[in-house]
Amino acid sequence: MVEKGILYYEDSGKARQYYPGIRREEAALAETENLLSCVYKGSIDMMMSTLVKQRSLTKEEIRELYDILEGLESREREREKNNTIHIKLLRCALWYSLDVIR
């Protein structure tokens, strides 16, 4: 695990003291991605459906999931808006270039 960067150690006399080489969040994300890939063939909706069917969600958990999805939708809309602006700027630059060439 030391070679993979998951752990590191410090020599302190006769013993080594081991410490995590990655944050808990990084490890959890890596394990979740691995589970998603191996068990659910990359299908997030299949994984979520299985989890929700197997255990009851509290109103708070449902609200939290809803807020996460709303945040993702909001970021996607903003990204699309920015892409539209970039496309318009590129079109203007191309038209300007064509006018200069003529």
Side-chain angles (χ1 to χ4, degrees):
M1 286 194 201
V2 172
E3 293 81 22
K4 293 181 179 182
I6 297 171
L7 294 174
Y8 71 93
Y9 65 89
E10 294 176 358
D11 285 318
S12 59
K14 295 181 180 181
R16 290 182 175 170
Q17 290 200 315
Y18 287 87
Y19 303 95
I22 60 173
R23 294 185 347 252
R24 179 183 298 267
E25 294 83 11
E26 292 175 284
L29 179 60
E31 285 302 314
T32 302
E33 290 287 343
N34 188 43
L35 176 72
L36 182 63
S37 175
C38 293
V39 176
Y40 297 101
K41 297 182 176 117
S43 173
I44 292 174
D45 54 340
M46 199 160 88
M47 183 174 86
M48 291 302 297
S49 176
T50 301
L51 289 171
V52 170
K53 286 178 184 175
Q54 294 302 314
R55 65 176 272 224
S56 297
L57 296 176
T58 65
K59 286 183 180 183
E60 184 179 317
E61 289 170 324
I62 292 169
R63 174 40 100 194
E64 192 173 328
L65 288 171
Y66 184 77
D67 290 345
I68 290 168
L69 292 174
E70 266 189 334
L72 290 172
E73 284 180 338
S74 176
R75 282 195 300 257
E76 185 60 32
R77 280 193 300 273
E78 188 64 31
R79 189 175 308 124
E80 287 174 2
K81 179 180 162 186
N82 289 337
N83 286 343
T84 301
I85 291 169
H86 291 291
I87 290 169
K88 287 179 179 178
L89 288 172
L90 284 172
R91 284 183 182 155
C92 289
L94 285 172
W95 281 111
Y96 177 77
S97 298
L98 287 173
D99 283 343
V100 171
I101 293 171
R102 291 180 196 164

